[in-house]
Amino acid sequence: MKKLREFLDPPKVLVLGFLTIILIGTFLLTLPYATINGDGLSFLNALFTATSAACVNGLVVVDTGSTFSTFGILVILSLIQIGGLGFMTFATFFAVLLGKRISLKERLVLRESMNSSSIEGIVKLSKRIIFFTVLIEIIGAIILSFRFAADIPTGKAIFFGIFHSISNFNNAGFDLTGEFKSLTHYVDDSIMTLTVCALITLGGIGFIVLNELYEYRITRRVSLHTKVVLATSFVLTFGGTILILLLEFGNPKTLQTLSHDGKLLAALFQSVAPRSAGSSTLNMADLTQSSLFLIMFLMFIGASPGSAGGGIKTTTFATLLGAVWSQIKGKEDVVFFRQCIPFNTIYKALTVTVSGLFLAVVLTMLLTITENNQDFLMILFEAVSASSNVGLSMGLTPDLSPIGRILVIIAMFAGRVGPLTIAYAIATKQEANTFRYPKGKMMIG
C-alpha cells in the first residue's frame, strides 16, 4: 500500500480518476434503459458519449435528445457535472460533509485539478466552487425554464432548463433540442442568447477568478491572474463578435436574413461559444471559410485556467503575446499591469501551446488518413474542436469511422486532462541535474 501511494502522484490520480468516471459512464450508457429504443448504445458509441460528457467536450455521434431516455440523459448530466467541476472537488466536498480530514496528498491533487499555484486555502476554494456552481446553475435553469415554457410543456421546459444550464455552465455544449440542431432555433432570441452566453462566460473564466470577484467587496483588490483573464476574455469576446459580424454580414445562410439585433446576438454567441462551450445558434457548415478559421483560432485559445473549459487558456495566449511584444520592443521582461512575468511561466505557456498545437496537428493528420473521403476543412475543424474540448462540429462527428471515433476519444481525453498531465503521469521521476552544460549559440529566425 505504501508503494501504491508513492506511485499514485497527483497527475496519475487525475488521469486514473477521469478514466474510471468515463468507464462507469460507458457501462451505464450501454444498459437497455439508457436509450429510448431499449437497446442501449454500442460500446464504442457509449465510450465516445461518456468521454465527451466527462471531458465536457460536446461532440456527439448520436443525437442526445432523440436517442437517450431520462435515465441516459441523467447519466450524461452527471458526467458533465462531475467532469466539469472535477471529481476531486466532489470528493473533497463530501469528505468535508462527513467530517473527514483532507490529507496533504489530497490537497496536492486538488491543486493539480484546479491548476492552482498553491495549496493554501484549496479546501475552502473547493467548497466555494460548489456554492458558485449551484447558485449560477439554479439562476440559469430558472431563466431558461421560463423561456422553454413558451414553446413546450412546463414539466419538459423545467427539465430542459436544468439540463441546458448545467451543460453550458460546465462548457459542455450538449443539448436536447434534437436533430443535431443545438440552439439554432433561438438564433435571434435575446433571452436564450444572453443567458447561455452568461453561463458559458461564468463557467469559462475559472473558479479562482469567480472567488476573487466574490471577495472583492472585502479585499478591494484582485490578483494579476484575474486581471489578465478578464482583460483577455473581454478582448477576445468583443473582437470575435465584431469580426464575425463583418465576415458573415452578407452571408444569406447565416446573418443576412436576420434583423440588426439578431445579427448582433448571433455574432456574440458565435464569439463566446468557441471559447470551449460547443453550443451554437448558427449551423457551422453554413459559415464562410474566414469565419470558420476565426472560430478555430478562438477554440484553440479556449477558456481560462481553473475552469471547465479547454484550449491552451487565455492566460497562456496573453503570456505568449506579451513575450512577442517584449521581443519586438527590445525588452527583456514581460510586464502586465506593472508586474513582471517569471521566465518559468513563459516557458510553461510555450510548452502548453506547442503541446496543444501538436495534439491538433497529429489528430488532423490521422483523421485525413482514416476519413480520406471527407473535406479537409471539416477534418481540421473537428480536430481542433476535439483537442481543445469545445464540441462545435461541421457535421463530421456522426459520420466518423470506428478508428476515427477512437482517435477523437483519445484527443478529447488528452485535451481535458492535459497533455502535460498525461506526460507527467507516464514519466518516471527524474532527479535534479547536478551539473549544467556550457551555453551554446544558435541563430533564430
Side-chain angles (χ1 to χ4, degrees):
M1 290 299 296
K2 183 179 180 181
K3 288 183 178 180
L4 180 62
R5 285 195 296 268
E6 291 177 353
F7 172 77
L8 292 177
D9 53 20
K12 289 186 176 68
V13 172
L14 285 180
V15 171
L16 293 176
F18 266 103
L19 280 175
T20 302
I21 293 169
I22 289 170
L23 291 176
I24 292 173
T26 300
F27 168 73
L28 293 175
L29 292 178
T30 58
L31 297 177
Y33 36 87
T35 56
I36 294 175
N37 61 14
D39 295 331
L41 288 184
S42 66
F43 176 79
L44 183 56
N45 285 347
L47 179 62
F48 191 104
T49 304
T51 304
S52 183
C55 296
V56 288
N57 188 293
L59 290 176
V60 292
V61 289
V62 295
D63 182 68
T64 308
S66 59
T67 301
F68 295 101
S69 63
T70 302
F71 171 79
I73 292 173
L74 290 177
V75 169
I76 292 173
L77 201 60
S78 300
L79 291 172
I80 290 172
Q81 191 72 88
I82 295 172
L85 298 186
F87 66 92
M88 277 305 300
T89 303
F90 274 96
T92 302
F93 178 72
F94 286 114
V96 171
L97 286 180
L98 296 174
K100 181 180 178 296
R101 182 178 175 274
I102 308 302
S103 67
L104 175 60
K105 188 163 188 176
E106 289 168 337
R107 293 170 191 262
L108 291 172
V109 177
L110 263 176
R111 183 192 67 177
E112 185 79 19
S113 65
M114 295 179 188
N115 200 16
S116 177
S117 58
S118 171
I119 63 171
E120 183 180 357
I122 200 74
V123 176
K124 179 182 177 182
L125 178 60
S126 67
K127 291 188 286 187
R128 282 270 178 88
I129 288 173
I130 300 294
F131 168 72
F132 292 142
T133 300
V134 172
L135 178 63
I136 295 171
E137 288 179 351
I138 287 176
I139 295 173
I142 292 172
I143 297 173
L144 293 178
S145 296
F146 275 109
R147 177 60 192 90
F148 281 122
D151 302 325
I152 55 180
T154 303
K156 188 176 181 181
I158 294 173
F159 186 69
F160 270 42
I162 294 172
F163 183 92
H164 289 88
S165 179
I166 294 174
S167 177
N168 285 288
F169 177 72
N170 287 283
N171 281 216
F174 279 79
D175 67 88
L176 301 178
T177 54
E179 300 178 357
F180 300 100
K181 294 291 186 181
S182 191
L183 300 176
T184 53
H185 296 300
Y186 303 94
V187 61
D188 56 354
D189 188 291
S190 58
I191 296 177
M192 183 66 69
T193 296
L194 296 178
T195 302
V196 174
C197 282
L199 288 169
I200 294 170
T201 302
L202 291 172
I205 60 175
F207 294 109
I208 294 174
V209 174
L210 287 176
N211 189 51
E212 286 195 10
L213 293 177
Y214 176 76
E215 293 183 340
Y216 180 77
R217 70 192 193 283
I218 301 173
T219 61
R220 292 297 172 185
R221 61 183 179 84
V222 293
S223 66
L224 174 64
H225 170 81
T226 296
K227 292 177 182 178
V228 172
V229 166
L230 294 178
T232 308
S233 298
F234 174 78
V235 170
L236 290 173
T237 300
F238 180 77
T241 301
I242 298 300
L243 286 174
I244 290 174
L245 192 62
L246 294 174
L247 294 172
E248 295 295 325
F249 195 85
N251 187 349
K253 295 182 179 180
T254 55
L255 300 189
Q256 189 184 65
T257 58
L258 299 176
S259 64
H260 290 302
D261 290 344
K263 287 182 174 67
L264 185 60
L265 289 170
L268 173 64
F269 197 99
Q270 266 53 238
S271 175
V272 172
R275 302 280 308 292
S276 194
S279 299
S280 61
T281 56
L282 294 175
N283 185 355
M284 291 293 106
D286 291 336
L287 295 174
T288 61
Q289 291 186 358
S290 52
S291 294
L292 290 171
F293 187 80
L294 172 62
I295 287 175
M296 280 189 275
F297 174 71
L298 294 174
M299 289 194 296
F300 184 71
I301 296 173
S304 300
S307 72
I312 63 171
K313 305 296 189 294
T314 52
T315 49
T316 304
F317 175 67
T319 300
L320 289 181
L321 281 186
V324 171
W325 182 248
S326 295
Q327 282 291 307
I328 292 174
K329 299 289 286 185
K331 297 180 179 179
E332 184 176 344
D333 295 331
V334 177
V335 179
F336 290 141
F337 299 99
R338 298 183 179 181
Q339 294 186 56
C340 184
I341 307 301
F343 280 110
N344 63 333
T345 301
I346 299 172
Y347 292 145
K348 185 175 181 179
L350 181 62
T351 304
V352 169
T353 303
V354 173
S355 300
L357 187 61
F358 180 78
L359 179 61
V361 169
V362 170
L363 180 59
T364 302
M365 180 65 185
L366 294 175
L367 288 179
T368 57
I369 297 172
T370 62
E371 321 299 318
N372 58 4
N373 59 331
Q374 298 289 350
D375 181 70
F376 175 75
L377 184 61
M378 292 182 70
I379 292 175
L380 177 62
F381 191 92
E382 217 80 3
V384 175
S385 180
S387 59
S388 299
N389 268 306
V390 178
L392 290 175
S393 175
M394 293 178 65
L396 176 61
T397 303
D399 298 326
L400 287 172
S401 65
I403 298 178
R405 296 185 184 195
I406 293 172
L407 291 172
V408 171
I409 288 171
I410 295 171
M412 290 190 294
F413 182 79
R416 179 66 180 102
V417 178
L420 289 182
T421 301
I422 295 176
Y424 292 150
I426 296 174
T428 56
K429 292 184 178 179
Q430 296 181 354
E431 296 181 358
N433 291 332
T434 56
F435 63 91
R436 298 182 69 179
Y437 291 101
K439 294 182 179 180
K441 293 183 178 180
M442 185 174 64
M443 297 179 66
I444 298 293

